[in-house]
Amino acid sequence: MNLTRRQTLASLAALAGSGLMPSLTFAQDAGTFRIGALNPITGAGGPYGTGMQKMIAAAAEVVNAAGGAAGRMFEVFAEDTQTQPQAAVLAAKKLIEVNKVQAVLGTWSSGVSLAVLPLASEANIPLFHCSGAPALSVAPANEKKLGYRFQATNDRFGRAFAEIATKEGFKRPATMAFNNASGIGNTEGFEKAWKAKGGEIVASVVYEPAQPSYRAELQKILDAKPDVIVMGSYIADTTIILREWYQTGEENTFIMPAWAGNPELVKALGPDVVEGIISVDSISNEGSPAFAAFDAAYQSAVGHPGLTNVYAAMTWDMVTVLALAMEAAGPGADMAAINAKIREVANPDGKQVSSFAEGKEALKSGPINYEGASSVLDFDEFGDVTPDFAASFIRSGEIKREYVVTL
Amino acid sequence: MTGFAELLLSGVMSGLIIGLAGLAVTLVFGIARFSNAATGDTMTLGAYGALLGTTLTGSLIFGGLVGLLAGALAAVLSYVLVFRQLANRSPISSLLASIGLAFFVRAGLGLAFGHNQSVFQLDIVRPIRFLDLRIQPNDLKFAAIALVTLVIVFIILHMTPIGRRMRAVADNPLLARVSGIAPRPVMFTLWAMAGAVSAIAGIILGMKTVVSPEMGWDMLLPAFAAAVLGGIGHPVGAIVGGLVIGVAQELATPFVGFTYKIAVSFIVLLLVLLVRPRGMFGRVEGVR
């Protein structure tokens, strides 16, 4: 046989490729259950992603140590979404097609989850995510009801904003929203709740990302003389808007989600500009036994208190809920059967449990209700949960929680 | 009325940044004959260079110079390593290579500086009130820097021997070559200039907004639009094109809202090209 150089190279490449194949052949081992940990390791979600991923691994270890879920051991495949839909789609495809994962856990940012959910649905596997966009609740994105949200919807954030605005006695709110599902979701949720209370919105603006200046947008809002501006925004645009706002000399205050009103914002602008801003975040189910278990695991894996990463508490719960649903569905159950059990093990009217081992034991004698580390974790018909919210105020450059809002 | 004047002002500021980026695009197009998609990321590189320089020296001015040099150096390097190799191929090769270079630069910056935003620590100052108009002192400085940049580019292009040679190459590369104009110094100057201009656009944008690895890439489309609107290859055209786009966007907002202001600038672009397909300042070019 007379090989040309090109043929030789091609066959070498094929050989090298086939070296990767055996891992595929044994993908469907009955003794293991493969989960994809698809988290924002880099990008805007970077501050949370590593902790989220470590908690998926830690919770999977806990499940495995308790004998696995319905006898199956969890195997975790980790990927980075880069907090970007394009990168997330590539990573999700790799997880689903190459690693043959049977569930994808832990996407963050609505754009990412909206891009990944159709891929997961197509493969008939569930996606557990931490994103807020209302569109993730319903068809077409969630047509197969395989998407479960462990974070509050932006709509619920908006309702929390309205509660806080009422409590603080604001009369003339205006809204500014980043033009995407999450940003508009926040301000629309606020508007609905605020109008239901009989309030009025003096001005509202939806703005485009990546503009050199937001002066015109601000001018329209400030002309209406608001006493508070409710933001559906992210960190970069918030930085630009607040800088330009401060330079106008107006003295209203702001209510914004915590992914915009965070320490990085304080660092970027200095304490004077951000003084008095109200930063709102959903909070973990602090004080629950599940949170204590998560906190211990987080401390040992990351070295910070579990309070610093609400999303890691969510990913911890994702693994636990999945394992409990598998346990309830019994050995050898397919994904449809497992999916049918998710609400059953998490929602009320069962014995309250706080860990996988406890739930596994209790399942032998009847229904259970997992009370999670991130919230009491009761899924509504859309697969959404309702956590509590905290209102934190920025004073002298420190972000301090002042009260909790329960919807 | 003040409302309109303030919109006009903010449009001019956006327009100057778009125009500077457009100028960098048009300079490269005029002489190297392809659309350089790495322009946006050269802006980003300049902004990070300035950030680094400012942190090291503690002075915004020195920092800015470091950014400027970084942009110029990166552009010259990109010519030496990439575009010179492709000079004899079709412009599509260079265009595609420039997209790849853009990805490379962005990924490199992300790796080196992370994806979180950084900011220039500028003093936050109250605006100057002039005839009931709020004018930002910083904006005045940025506008001055932009104008000085323009003047320097024009002096180089129109009053120096190398500028004359550059214009000769832009006009007719073959004729320039047979007239004894060596291409290498021309290309080096061109790339250094284009890189420096991009860096200045990036530094101003970074000072007005925040610095992140994606910032320049996001400006690429408006920059191309400015270059096309002005008449591609025409330096004054790029600046005027940028200003038209910036001002049209802002002035349209009371009528179309903020979501569609970007669309308005492209409608302006369409209309101008319908009436003058060669752009506002462009010349009709024959097929070579």
Side-chain angles (χ1 to χ4, degrees):
Chain A
M1 201 162 76
N2 215 346
L3 284 180
T4 65
R5 190 173 63 120
R6 194 168 290 176
Q7 281 166 328
T8 315
L9 277 175
S11 54
L12 275 176
L15 251 173
S18 66
L20 304 168
M21 295 306 280
S23 59
L24 296 183
T25 337
F26 303 112
Q28 302 292 351
D29 187 340
T32 61
F33 187 92
R34 303 168 158 246
I35 52 184
L38 185 56
N39 311 112
I41 305 301
T42 55
Y48 313 109
T50 305
M52 292 165 76
Q53 204 157 63
K54 285 189 171 161
M55 284 305 100
I56 292 177
E61 260 173 50
V62 170
V63 171
N64 291 347
R72 289 154 94 178
M73 295 293 165
F74 278 157
E75 194 179 347
V76 179
F77 294 85
E79 276 297 333
D80 178 12
T81 65
Q82 302 175 27
T83 327
Q84 283 182 1
Q86 304 92 317
V89 163
L90 284 180
K93 281 197 161 166
K94 181 248 174 191
L95 286 173
I96 294 169
E97 287 164 16
V98 179
N99 300 126
K100 307 277 182 207
V101 299
Q102 289 144 283
V104 177
L105 270 49
T107 53
W108 189 96
S109 139
S110 299
V112 166
S113 298
L114 280 167
V116 173
L117 186 50
L119 295 176
S121 293
E122 179 71 33
N124 286 314
I125 65 175
L127 174 72
F128 293 178
H129 61 86
C130 314
S131 307
L136 283 160
S137 302
V138 290
N142 200 17
E143 197 165 3
K144 290 194 180 170
K145 304 236 175 237
L146 286 164
Y148 289 87
R149 187 196 311 262
F150 285 62
Q151 158 74 314
T153 59
N154 293 122
D155 194 65
R156 285 172 171 82
F157 262 92
R159 273 154 62 193
F161 289 174
E163 292 298 323
I164 292 164
T166 311
K167 195 173 154 80
E168 296 298 317
F170 292 120
K171 297 276 178 277
R172 299 178 56 78
T175 65
M176 291 185 83
F178 186 97
N179 191 8
N180 74 2
S182 162
I184 297 175
N186 278 338
T187 56
E188 278 184 349
F190 170 76
E191 199 175 324
K192 249 192 314 193
W194 184 255
K195 286 188 172 157
K197 288 166 178 286
E200 170 209 14
I201 312 256
V202 296
S204 48
V205 152
V206 174
Y207 59 85
E208 292 300 302
Q211 296 296 300
S213 159
Y214 291 102
R215 260 184 76 170
E217 286 84 343
L218 260 174
Q219 194 184 320
K220 179 177 172 199
I221 291 293
L222 296 177
D223 282 349
K225 300 278 172 226
D227 53 7
V228 63
I229 301 177
V230 174
M231 308 283 286
S233 60
Y234 292 91
I235 174 87
D237 38 300
T238 307
T239 310
I240 304 165
I241 289 172
L242 280 181
R243 189 193 285 139
E244 292 182 333
W245 163 79
Y246 190 73
Q247 290 176 339
T248 65
E250 297 290 340
E251 302 209 320
N252 59 279
T253 183
F254 288 84
I255 297 178
M256 60 180 65
W259 55 82
N262 61 16
E264 210 184 323
L265 184 77
V266 180
K267 200 181 86 192
L269 293 167
D272 289 344
V273 181
V274 296
E275 181 70 22
I277 286 176
I278 305 169
S279 163
V280 182
D281 205 355
S282 64
I283 52 174
S284 302
N285 193 10
E286 299 160 10
S288 68
F291 184 81
F294 152 74
D295 188 35
Y298 196 78
Q299 292 268 17
S300 83
V302 185
H304 296 293
L307 278 176
T308 54
N309 193 339
V310 289
Y311 305 105
M314 292 173 203
T315 57
W316 173 271
D317 283 346
M318 287 173 184
V319 177
T320 312
V321 167
L322 179 65
L324 287 173
M326 286 168 65
E327 189 68 39
D334 65 358
M335 191 35 78
I338 296 169
N339 189 34
K341 290 285 178 190
I342 289 178
R343 280 184 186 79
E344 237 177 271
V345 298
N347 291 8
D349 279 358
K351 182 176 187 301
Q352 293 199 356
V353 298
S354 311
S355 70
F356 173 70
E358 202 186 326
K360 185 175 181 175
E361 198 49 45
L363 269 171
K364 289 174 185 158
S365 51
I368 57 164
N369 171 15
Y370 175 63
E371 302 285 279
S374 60
S375 71
V376 295
L377 219 63
D378 297 334
F379 296 102
D380 67 8
E381 56 176 313
F382 303 112
D384 295 340
V385 295
T386 307
D388 290 342
F389 293 87
S392 304
F393 288 68
I394 308 184
R395 303 207 195 276
S396 312
E398 294 286 323
I399 305 178
K400 284 226 174 68
R401 183 191 296 182
E402 299 206 347
Y403 50 85
V404 171
V405 178
T406 306
L407 293 182
Chain B
M1 208 48 231
T2 19
F4 258 105
E6 291 206 353
L7 286 180
L8 186 71
L9 219 72
S10 93
V12 167
M13 283 314 301
S14 306
L16 278 176
I17 297 171
I18 299 173
L20 279 178
L23 176 62
V25 170
T26 232
L27 279 175
V28 172
F29 191 92
I31 296 167
R33 307 252 153 221
F34 71 94
S35 307
N36 183 10
T39 304
D41 295 280
T42 314
M43 286 170 69
T44 317
L45 190 93
Y48 272 107
L51 208 57
L52 202 64
T54 309
T55 321
L56 290 180
T57 63
S59 146
L60 276 175
I61 297 176
F62 280 113
L65 288 177
V66 171
L68 191 84
L69 283 178
L73 200 68
V76 170
L77 266 181
S78 73
Y79 167 65
V80 173
L81 297 178
V82 182
F83 299 120
R84 188 167 62 178
Q85 322 298 330
L86 299 170
N88 297 325
R89 308 246 191 108
S90 105
I92 297 293
S93 315
S94 293
L95 170 65
L96 290 178
S98 75
I99 295 174
L101 184 68
F103 278 120
F104 179 78
V105 171
R106 203 169 337 137
L109 288 173
L111 216 56
F113 296 97
H115 287 266
N116 292 343
Q117 65 174 22
S118 317
V119 288
F120 285 98
Q121 297 294 347
L122 294 186
D123 293 333
I124 294 184
V125 280
R126 297 292 191 206
I128 305 166
R129 290 266 175 183
F130 176 73
L131 298 177
D132 215 29
L133 211 62
R134 280 178 293 215
I135 300 174
Q136 271 307 317
N138 281 338
D139 277 358
L140 286 182
K141 286 181 207 160
F142 295 148
I145 294 170
L147 289 178
V148 169
T149 308
L150 285 184
V151 170
I152 293 175
V153 167
F154 284 98
I155 289 179
I156 294 175
L157 280 181
H158 290 275
M159 295 184 186
T160 61
I162 186 79
R164 210 160 20 248
R165 277 178 235 142
M166 285 168 79
R167 283 182 294 129
V169 174
D171 213 37
N172 189 334
L174 270 181
L175 189 59
R177 197 157 190 171
V178 295
S179 317
I181 293 177
R184 191 168 297 177
V186 166
M187 294 314 264
F188 273 59
T189 318
L190 159 76
W191 282 98
M193 248 166 73
V197 170
S198 318
I200 290 170
I203 295 166
I204 296 179
L205 181 65
M207 286 183 174
K208 272 183 76 68
T209 63
V210 295
V211 181
S212 71
E214 290 79 28
M215 62 180 273
W217 181 252
D218 291 335
M219 288 303 291
L220 192 63
L221 208 56
F224 275 171
V228 172
L229 183 61
I232 193 141
H234 198 289
V236 184
I239 296 292
V240 177
L243 285 173
V244 167
I245 286 175
V247 171
Q249 270 185 15
E250 296 303 317
L251 288 188
T253 53
F255 309 108
V256 301
F258 298 98
T259 317
Y260 296 108
K261 69 174 184 184
I262 297 167
V264 167
S265 65
F266 283 90
I267 291 174
V268 171
L269 175 66
L270 263 173
L271 289 179
V272 171
L273 292 184
L274 274 176
V275 182
R276 277 181 75 87
R278 55 192 183 276
M280 291 187 300
F281 292 79
R283 295 166 309 172
V284 181
E285 284 193 40
V287 178
R288 266 181 247 284

